[in-house]
Amino acid sequence: AYQLHPRVELSADLPVTIGQVHGFAILEAQGFPLKAPNAAGLGAPRLMARVQILKQSELPIVGLAGVLEVRLPIGDTFSFLSDRGFVFAPRLAVERSLGPVRLLGNLGWRLRTAPGRFMNLYVAQEFTLGGGAIIELPTVGPFEDNQLLGELALATPAEAPFTFSGSE
């Protein structure tokens, strides 16, 4: 990550999967013979830009930022390490500090240029929602600035958000 300005940060990362297991034996037993995905590999590189719109110190309610994430279609799609096309994921992030606790939330959209596909399952555009909390912990011996983080990330199809029609 590189901070261009006190309110603008650019970052990039390359996810690496060092191990994953699969349940393809169950599918094979049902008559769907499939080659097992690779257990490890490189994922889709991600580029991100974050612009801080509002600091909590300026208006003591919440901090607000806009985030744009772009994922490049490089990586093994068969092994679930990458999408088949580019992914654009803009989101709005909000934060509020309450003493030693920081509450976090975000709301966004995940736009895929090519839908993800596995057998008869297609994953296209999604609404995204996330929340979390960071709790400051005391210094323990040589360990300073300790934090405990909990988070939850949700995604739902944009075509039929928060529905279970057709699922069994």
Side-chain angles (χ1 to χ4, degrees), residues 17 22 28 33 38 55 64 66 69 76 90 105 122 128 133 143 147:
T17 299
H22 61 84
E28 191 170 328
N38 293 325
K55 292 183 178 183
L64 192 62
E69 176 183 343
D76 186 357
Y122 289 85
T128 60
F143 303 105
Q147 298 177 331

Side-chain angles (χ1 to χ4, degrees), residues 20-34:
Q20 64 177 336
V21 296
H22 61 84
F24 279 23
I26 297 167
L27 291 171
E28 191 170 328
Q30 297 296 319
F32 298 101
L34 295 169

Side-chain angles (χ1 to χ4, degrees), residues 10-147:
L10 301 176
S11 62
D13 67 31
L14 178 63
V16 177
T17 299
I18 56 173
Q20 64 177 336
V21 296
H22 61 84
F24 279 23
I26 297 167
L27 291 171
E28 191 170 328
Q30 297 296 319
F32 298 101
L34 295 169
K35 179 184 163 217
N38 293 325
L42 295 177
R46 295 182 290 197
L47 308 172
M48 292 186 16
R50 177 183 163 98
V51 176
Q52 189 168 37
I53 300 165
L54 182 65
K55 292 183 178 183
Q56 185 178 344
S57 61
E58 296 169 346
L59 183 65
I61 300 173
V62 294
L64 192 62
V67 180
L68 175 61
E69 176 183 343
V70 177
R71 296 182 192 172
L72 308 177
I74 301 169
D76 186 357
T77 59
F78 176 76
S79 296
F80 311 106
L81 300 175
S82 177
D83 280 89
R84 297 181 329 151
F86 288 92
V87 176
F88 300 94
R91 60 187 172 269
L92 193 59
V94 64
E95 155 179 350
R96 168 102 172 135
S97 292
L98 300 167
V101 177
R102 279 181 32 212
L103 301 175
L104 313 165
N106 65 67
L107 178 65
W109 174 271
R110 192 173 297 138
L111 171 75
R112 290 182 169 85
T113 59
R117 179 173 174 250
F118 175 70
M119 295 178 67
N120 67 341
L121 174 66
Y122 289 85
V123 179
Q125 291 18 283
E126 297 174 302
F127 291 119
T128 60
L129 180 66
I134 299 174
I135 301 171
E136 299 292 333
L137 299 175
T139 298
V140 178
F143 303 105
E144 300 177 8
D145 299 322
N146 301 309
Q147 298 177 331

